[in-house]
C-alpha cells in the first residue's frame, strides 16, 4: 500500500532560494512599466527622497517632531530608521526633542551628549525641546548639569514633579545674561513648571530672556499668599508673552496670577482653574485693571461638587458671563466634576 502511494506522487517542484527569488522579483519589477524606476543603462535610480537636500529633510523632520503630541524621542528615532539617507540627514536632530522620565535616561543622555562633536568643541548640547519628569518620591536627577549644557539652544522646557520636594532654586539664583555659565535661557519661548516652590518660580522667571518668552504654564506652583512683590520683580516686562496657564485652583487674589498678568502687557490668552465658591472673586479680578486690555481669550475651568449643577443661568455664573460678553471676549468655560464635564462656548 505504501509502495503504491509513493509511485503516484508527482515530483516536488524545485524550491527557489531567497537570492534567486529576490533576483527574479527585481527583474520583474524592473520590466513592469508601472514600477519602472531604472535608468537607461539598466541600473536602479536613487529613490526620490535621496534627491532632497539635507536642509529640506531636516525641515521636514522638525515639522514632524513638533506636530507630535508627546514630546518624546520616539518620533525622531522612527524617522532615522526609514533609510540611510534619512539617517544621515537627521543624525544632528537626535537631540532636538528629548523626554526624560527616569534617572537612568538622564545618565544615558548626558553620556551620549559627551560623544557629540558640538560638546567636544564647545561643551554644549543642541537640545531645543526638553521635557523632564521626576520619578515617584524622587527629585530631579542631574538636572542642573543638563540645563547648563543646553541653556543657549532651548526653546521649550517642561519640568514636572510628582510632588513638592527638595527645591532646586539654588541652581538658578546666579543666573544672569552676562554670565557665560549661569543658567540663563536666552532663547526660551515656552516654559512649563509643575509643583515648584515660590522661590523656584521666581528664579526661573528671572532666568528667561524677556524678549523671547511667549508661553508660560504654572501648575500647582504659587507664590505665598502674603508674598510682597519686590520692585525688581514688579518691573519685569515680557512683551511677547501672550499665553499664560495657571492651573492649581489658586484663589484669584493670590499674588501669582496678578503678577503674571502684570509682566505680560500684551497677554491674549489666560487659562485659570478655580472652584465654584471663588467665582465672585474671579469675576472681580477679571473686571479689574490688573488684566491687560489685549486679553480676548480667557479659558476658565470651574470645579463643582459631585451633585451640583452650574449653568449659564446660575446666579453665581451670570456676572462672569455678562462680563465676557461686555468685553467681547471669546467665551470658553468648562465645568467639571468627578464623573464628567461640559462646555459653554
Amino acid at each position: 500500500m505504501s509502495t503504491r502511494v509513493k509511485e503516484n506522487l508527482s515530483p516536488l517542484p524545485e524550491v527557489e532560494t531567497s537570492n534567486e527569488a529576490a533576483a527574479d522579483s527585481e527583474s520583474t519589477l524592473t520590466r513592469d512599466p508601472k514600477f519602472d524606476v531604472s535608468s537607461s543603462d539598466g541600473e536602479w535610480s536613487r529613490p526620490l527622497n535621496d534627491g532632497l537636500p539635507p536642509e529640506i529633510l531636516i525641515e521636514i523632520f522638525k515639522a514632524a517632531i513638533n506636530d507630535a503630541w508627546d514630546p518624546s524621542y520616539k518620533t525622531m528615532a522612527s524617522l532615522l530608521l526609514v533609510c540611510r539617507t534619512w539617517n544621515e540627514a537627521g543624525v544632528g536632530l537626535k537631540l532636538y526633542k528629548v523626554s526624560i522620565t527616569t534617572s537612568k535616561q538622564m545618565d544615558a543622555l548626558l553620556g551620549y551628549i559627551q560623544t557629540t562633536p558640538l560638546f567636544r568643541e564647545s561643551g554644549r548640547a543642541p537640545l531645543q525641546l526638553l521635557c523632564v519628569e521626576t520619578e515617584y518620591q524622587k527629585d530631579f536627577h542631574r538636572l542642573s548639569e543638563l540645563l547648563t549644557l543646553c541653556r543657549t539652544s532651548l526653546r521649550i522646557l517642561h519640568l514636572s514633579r510628582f510632588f513638592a520636594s527638595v527645591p532646586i532654586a539654588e541652581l538658578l539664583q546666579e543666573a544672569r545674561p552676562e554670565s557665560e555659565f549661569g543658567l540663563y535661557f536666552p532663547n526660551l519661548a515656552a516654559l512649563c513648571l509643575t509643583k515648584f516652590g515660590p522661590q523656584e518660580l521666581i528664579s526661573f522667571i528671572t532666568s528667561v530672556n524677556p524678549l523671547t518668552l511667549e508661553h508660560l504654564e504654572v501648575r500647582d506652583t504659587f507664590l505665598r499668599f502674603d508674598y510682597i512683590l519686590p520692585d525688581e520683580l514688579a518691573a519685569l516686562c515680557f512683551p511677547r508673552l501672550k499665553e499664560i496657564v495657571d492651573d492649581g485652583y489658586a484663589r484669584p487674589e493670590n499674588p501669582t496670577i496678578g503678577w503674571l498678568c502684570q509682566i505680560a502687557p500684551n497677554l491674549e490668552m489666560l487659562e485659570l482653574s478655580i472652584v465654584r465658591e471663588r467665582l465672585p472673586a474671579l469675576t472681580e479680578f477679571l473686571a479689574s485693571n490688573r488684566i491687560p486690555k489685549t486679553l480676548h481669550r480667557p479659558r476658565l475651568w470651574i470645579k463643582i461638587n459631585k451633585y451640583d449643577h452650574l449653568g449659564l443661568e446660575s446666579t453665581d455664573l451670570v456676572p462672569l458671563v455678562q462680563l465676557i460678553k461686555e468685553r467681547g471676549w471669546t467665551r470658553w468655560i468648562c465645568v467639571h466634576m468627578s464623573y464628567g464635564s461640559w462646555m459653554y462656548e
Side-chain angles (χ1 to χ4, degrees):
M1 183 69 178
S2 61
T3 304
R4 204 173 292 126
V5 170
K6 289 181 179 179
E7 290 175 354
N8 292 333
L9 287 175
S10 59
L12 292 174
E14 295 184 5
V15 180
E16 286 185 310
T17 64
S18 58
N19 291 336
E20 292 172 346
D24 182 65
S25 64
E26 180 177 324
S27 61
T28 302
L29 181 61
T30 307
R31 291 192 301 268
D32 193 334
K34 291 186 299 182
F35 304 102
D36 190 5
V37 292
S38 61
S39 60
S40 58
D41 57 358
E43 296 294 330
W44 284 92
S45 62
R46 300 181 67 186
L48 176 62
N49 58 48
D50 272 11
L52 293 175
E55 311 84 58
I56 302 299
L57 285 174
I58 289 175
E59 293 303 318
I60 295 174
F61 295 163
K62 287 182 179 180
I65 296 172
N66 291 329
D67 189 56
W69 178 258
D70 177 31
S72 67
Y73 174 72
K74 295 180 181 178
T75 305
M76 191 65 236
S78 301
L79 291 172
L80 298 182
L81 292 175
V82 171
C83 63
R84 180 179 299 175
T85 304
W86 284 32
N87 184 279
E88 293 173 353
V91 68
L93 292 179
K94 283 187 176 181
L95 295 176
Y96 180 80
K97 188 175 187 178
V98 177
S99 179
I100 300 173
T101 57
T102 66
S103 301
K104 290 183 178 180
Q105 291 177 352
M106 178 68 82
D107 291 335
L109 175 63
L110 289 171
Y112 173 76
I113 288 175
Q114 295 176 3
T115 66
T116 60
L118 181 62
F119 176 83
R120 291 194 292 266
E121 293 173 5
S122 62
R124 298 295 183 190
L127 276 71
Q128 294 195 34
L129 294 86
L130 177 63
C131 178
V132 183
E133 299 178 4
T134 63
E135 297 177 85
Y136 182 67
Q137 293 185 341
K138 292 183 180 180
D139 202 48
F140 294 103
H141 174 66
R142 302 179 69 182
L143 176 62
S144 60
E145 185 178 347
L146 177 60
L147 292 179
T148 301
L149 295 176
C150 63
R151 65 178 184 83
T152 57
S153 59
L154 270 182
R155 287 191 48 79
I156 300 177
L157 177 61
H158 289 254
L159 299 177
S160 303
R161 281 197 181 102
F162 271 106
F163 53 87
S165 183
V166 181
I168 62 168
E170 309 80 47
L171 306 177
L172 302 174
Q173 285 179 351
E174 297 303 322
R176 294 292 184 274
E178 63 274 9
S179 175
E180 182 180 358
F181 300 102
L183 287 181
Y184 178 76
F185 305 95
N187 299 302
L188 199 66
L191 174 64
C192 308
L193 304 175
T194 300
K195 289 185 171 59
F196 276 68
Q199 186 57 45
E200 293 173 322
L201 171 63
I202 294 173
S203 297
F204 269 101
I205 294 294
T206 54
S207 301
V208 178
N209 184 352
L211 300 179
T212 60
L213 189 64
E214 301 175 7
H215 180 90
L216 175 63
E217 291 185 24
V218 288
R219 304 183 183 277
D220 296 318
T221 300
F222 314 109
L223 300 174
R224 296 188 307 273
F225 193 83
D226 58 349
Y227 184 77
I228 300 177
L229 207 63
D231 293 339
E232 58 269 21
L233 295 183
L236 289 175
C237 180
F238 292 80
R240 299 184 63 181
L241 180 55
K242 297 184 177 182
E243 296 182 350
I244 293 178
V245 177
D246 193 323
D247 185 13
Y249 303 102
R251 295 182 180 182
E253 57 269 26
N254 185 284
T256 307
I257 303 175
W259 176 48
L260 296 182
C261 290
Q262 179 181 343
I263 65 177
N266 299 313
L267 184 66
E268 296 180 358
M269 190 280 287
L270 175 63
E271 182 173 324
L272 300 173
S273 58
I274 65 167
V275 296
R276 179 175 187 172
E277 291 74 15
R278 295 171 185 159
L279 269 174
L282 174 63
T283 305
E284 181 181 355
F285 172 73
L286 292 177
S288 69
N289 57 8
R290 289 179 290 175
I291 297 297
K293 295 181 179 180
T294 54
L295 180 71
H296 61 85
R297 289 186 294 128
R299 295 166 57 94
L300 307 174
W301 297 80
I302 305 174
K303 184 178 181 180
I304 63 176
N305 295 327
K306 184 175 182 180
Y307 300 105
D308 278 356
H309 173 74
L310 183 65
L312 295 178
E313 71 287 348
S314 301
T315 55
D316 49 353
L317 187 58
V318 167
L320 178 58
V321 174
Q322 290 178 345
L323 175 65
I324 293 175
K325 184 177 180 180
E326 292 172 1
R327 297 290 175 91
W329 294 340
T330 302
R331 189 173 71 189
W332 196 100
I333 301 175
C334 182
V335 181
H336 65 102
M337 58 182 72
S338 57
Y339 60 85
S341 62
W342 58 91
M343 185 84 65
Y344 296 118
E345 293 183 304

